[in-house]
Amino acid sequence: MSEQYIAQVRTTAVVLAGGTGQRVGLSIPKQLLKIAGKAVIEHTLSIFQQAESIDDVIVLMAPGYVSDVEKIVTKAGLTKVIKVIEGGSTRNETTERAIAALGEGLADGEDRNVLFHDAVRPLLSQRVIKDCVDALDRYQAVDVAIPSADTIIVTRTHGEDGAFITDVPDRSRLRRGQTPQAFKLSTIRRAYEVASGDPNFQATDDCSVVLKYLPDVPIYVVAGDEYNMKVTQPVDVFIADKLFQLASTAVPQPAGESGYRELLTGKTMVVFGGSYGIGADIASLAESFGAKVYALGRSTTGTHIENPEHVDEALSKAYAETGRIDYVVNTAGVLRIGKLAETDTATIQEALNVNYLAPVQIARASYKYLAETKGQLLLYTSSSYTRGRAEYSLYSSTKAAMVNLTQALSDEWAGDGVRVNCVNPERTATPMRTKAFGEEPVGSLLSSEAVARTSVDVLLSEMTGHVIDVRQQDPTRGASEASGFEQALASVLDRQIDVS
């Protein structure tokens, strides 16, 4: 196949959303269930929206709910979705309808790539999508699968006596199938045409149709991911929600020196906690690239973020002087270590006021300004947010609240174009940390400059509702380039002992 031909082949993702919520105990299709603040299908469609190798998306939705998906698509700005049509009464019928829709408008001899994906697999990675599309350069059919960690048994039921084992296949050869399943449109169409002549035709996935009815077509297997789970049972809803909550997002690519200047010149940034540490470094960096920055702190400007009047005054001044506020950043916080039963009321109140109530007030006061510019609010959490531990109850719990606040506000403000994100630095060399822990070995901590650079990258990105890890694996950026879920799974134990 020539490179010119490959470049011309369009790739369409077909999201199969014809299932119901019966097994999850719902009165609505499970793909409309909200997880991490969004419908499951919105998470799934957003993945394909972001995929560079996907040109457009078609949704096959359960009958009676097409308009619900259309509303989600419009509100979320999912521009790659070109059709939402009703699915059939069976998986086979739904795929056949998709094939018919895909063939509309194609010239004779024209082909395209198609990826069939379950709408209720909202944790699909960009890596799997790319691997599937790349594999279609060489193969006509592609499946996605992972090794089975469990022993698989074959059983036979003997009346009222129940089930008995009849075989135990070699686990080393067994794989658990996932989606997407990818095909050349001409191949999957031909497989279904042949299958239509079989009066007993029935299949639960599309690769099995190719395997049975086009036996000469090899089906290549792409390595899947453990977290590419299918939300089918009630427990899956809980697991998926927790994965979204714990998962961090890969750091966005830096804009480069000229890019920073182009994006920041003429913009207004307000930084609470800007006296020193990460906040001061963000302010300095943004200012060096042309932004008008208001760096506020109790030791420099006398701004106490726990005082709502101080917050309102700071924002009003910035707006009055520049006519806009594009970015609001809050890095301020206090770290108080000790057993809760031995902590006095004043210390408890301080932790709640500074670490929780102040960010809430900053968010509330910033909203009207950020809605005007379609700007972004950036908050900060700690690596301890995933699990509280002894003597850090106040700090860990308030930092967990920042993650939930971020996810809630990103959903609440999405319709107004306001983005909200949360940076999660690994242990960082800041005056607050030094005060709490004293001097620590050189090289054991992130630099505040590295966290500041990543923070600016986040501010200049289009992402919203994300937790962005900043870690030491990448010495040039201070951040890991692994996918968000890989970061979450790999670092969950580290987070239990780290305190930023």
Side-chain angles (χ1 to χ4, degrees):
M1 184 179 295
S2 69
E3 291 184 5
Q4 183 179 5
Y5 179 69
I6 292 173
Q8 293 175 344
V9 175
R10 292 183 64 80
T11 300
T12 300
V14 174
V15 175
L16 302 170
T20 67
Q22 292 180 350
R23 277 183 286 184
V24 190
L26 298 173
S27 59
I28 61 172
K30 54 195 173 184
Q31 52 271 24
L32 295 179
L33 176 70
K34 280 199 170 185
I35 291 179
K38 297 179 182 179
V40 171
I41 194 169
E42 182 177 345
H43 286 295
T44 304
L45 293 175
S46 295
I47 294 168
F48 288 111
Q49 176 74 25
Q50 297 162 14
E52 294 182 359
S53 55
I54 299 298
D55 295 300
D56 43 45
V57 180
I58 294 176
V59 181
L60 277 293
M61 186 58 190
Y65 293 94
V66 168
S67 63
D68 295 85
V69 176
E70 289 175 337
K71 290 175 183 176
I72 290 172
V73 168
T74 300
K75 182 180 178 182
L78 299 169
T79 56
K80 287 187 180 180
V81 179
I82 57 173
K83 289 182 182 178
V84 181
I85 58 181
E86 282 195 354
S89 58
T90 64
R91 171 63 182 264
N92 301 350
E93 186 181 342
T94 297
T95 299
E96 287 170 347
R97 290 189 180 188
I99 292 171
L102 288 164
E104 294 176 2
L106 286 184
D108 290 342
E110 184 180 357
D111 209 349
R112 71 165 64 194
N113 298 330
V114 55
L115 275 65
F116 291 101
H117 184 66
D118 297 326
V120 289
R121 291 186 187 270
L123 306 179
L124 175 65
S125 71
Q126 295 295 333
R127 191 271 303 168
V128 170
I129 294 174
K130 184 178 185 302
D131 286 354
C132 286
V133 176
D134 288 347
L136 287 175
D137 288 345
R138 296 184 59 194
Y139 304 99
Q140 300 175 52
V142 179
D143 203 354
V144 173
I146 59 174
S148 175
D150 298 315
T151 297
I152 306 299
I153 62 174
V154 180
T155 66
R156 178 174 295 172
T157 301
H158 293 277
E160 296 180 356
D161 292 334
F164 296 84
I165 293 177
T166 60
D167 191 19
V168 181
D170 179 4
R171 189 173 68 185
S172 66
R173 298 183 59 194
L174 298 178
R175 297 292 183 270
R176 290 160 49 201
Q178 299 181 332
T179 63
Q181 293 183 330
F183 308 92
K184 292 297 182 184
L185 176 58
S186 57
T187 299
I188 191 64
R189 180 194 288 127
R190 185 156 49 92
Y192 270 86
E193 288 172 350
V194 176
S196 66
D198 181 355
N200 299 316
F201 171 51
Q202 187 176 3
T204 57
D205 75 296
D206 298 308
C207 280
S208 63
V209 180
V210 173
L211 182 67
K212 182 174 182 179
Y213 297 102
L214 298 179
D216 293 333
V217 174
I219 303 173
Y220 181 74
V221 180
V222 162
D225 290 313
E226 285 287 349
Y227 46 78
N228 184 18
M229 62 178 293
K230 188 175 183 180
V231 179
T232 302
Q233 303 295 338
V235 69
D236 299 332
V237 177
F238 174 80
I239 293 171
D241 194 65
K242 287 301 175 185
L243 280 174
F244 272 111
Q245 183 185 41
L246 295 178
S248 57
T249 300
V251 176
Q253 290 298 309
E257 302 299 301
S258 61
Y260 287 133
R261 188 165 300 282
E262 179 182 349
L263 293 169
L264 286 169
T265 296
K267 300 297 177 64
T268 299
M269 180 183 297
V270 178
V271 181
F272 294 99
S275 296
Y276 52 78
I278 297 170
D281 289 335
I282 291 173
S284 177
L285 183 62
E287 198 166 43
S288 72
F289 289 112
K292 175 63 176 176
V293 180
Y294 293 81
L296 307 158
R298 70 173 62 195
S299 63
T300 52
T301 62
T303 304
H304 293 246
I305 63 167
E306 65 272 29
N307 186 329
E309 293 182 359
H310 285 199
V311 171
D312 288 336
E313 289 171 3
L315 292 169
S316 296
K317 178 183 178 182
Y319 186 79
E321 293 181 358
T322 67
R324 61 186 300 136
I325 296 178
D326 301 274
Y327 309 108
V328 176
V329 180
N330 178 47
T331 65
V334 293
L335 174 57
R336 299 291 181 256
I337 303 171
K339 297 178 180 179
L340 184 61
E342 300 172 1
T343 305
D344 60 69
T345 301
T347 300
I348 293 173
Q349 195 63 55
E350 177 198 35
L352 294 176
N353 285 343
V354 175
N355 291 349
Y356 179 67
L357 294 179
V360 168
Q361 169 59 19
I362 289 170
R364 186 177 69 162
S366 300
Y367 168 74
K368 62 181 179 182
Y369 303 110
L370 296 175
E372 189 175 297
T373 59
K374 309 297 184 187
Q376 182 176 160
L377 171 66
L378 187 61
L379 302 174
Y380 287 76
T381 186
S382 158
S383 52
S384 64
Y385 84 84
T386 60
R387 184 179 186 274
R389 62 191 181 95
E391 300 191 12
Y392 292 91
S393 57
L394 291 173
Y395 188 73
S396 295
S397 58
T398 54
K399 289 304 178 181
M402 289 304 96
V403 173
N404 284 277
L405 181 63
T406 295
Q407 293 169 337
L409 290 181
S410 68
D411 187 37
E412 190 173 317
W413 294 353
D416 299 307
V418 180
R419 290 160 289 129
V420 187
N421 290 294
C422 190
V423 170
N424 176 32
E426 200 174 33
R427 295 173 298 173
T428 306
T430 64
M432 182 182 77
R433 183 175 179 87
T434 301
K435 182 178 179 180
F437 297 102
E439 294 296 331
E440 297 176 87
V442 175
S444 65
L445 304 176
L446 272 173
S447 70
S448 60
E449 293 86 355
V451 179
R453 179 64 67 119
T454 295
S455 299
V456 172
D457 290 337
V458 174
L459 288 169
L460 299 181
S461 74
E462 292 302 315
M463 59 175 43
T464 187
H466 292 279
V467 178
I468 299 93
D469 268 358
V470 188
R471 303 177 67 79
Q472 289 199 78
Q473 284 96 325
D474 182 348
T476 65
R477 298 280 315 284
S480 170
E481 295 298 332
S483 73
F485 290 102
E486 287 167 347
Q487 288 184 27
L489 296 173
S491 65
V492 68
L493 293 178
D494 292 339
R495 291 180 183 176
Q496 294 177 11
I497 60 173
D498 288 351
V499 177
S500 297

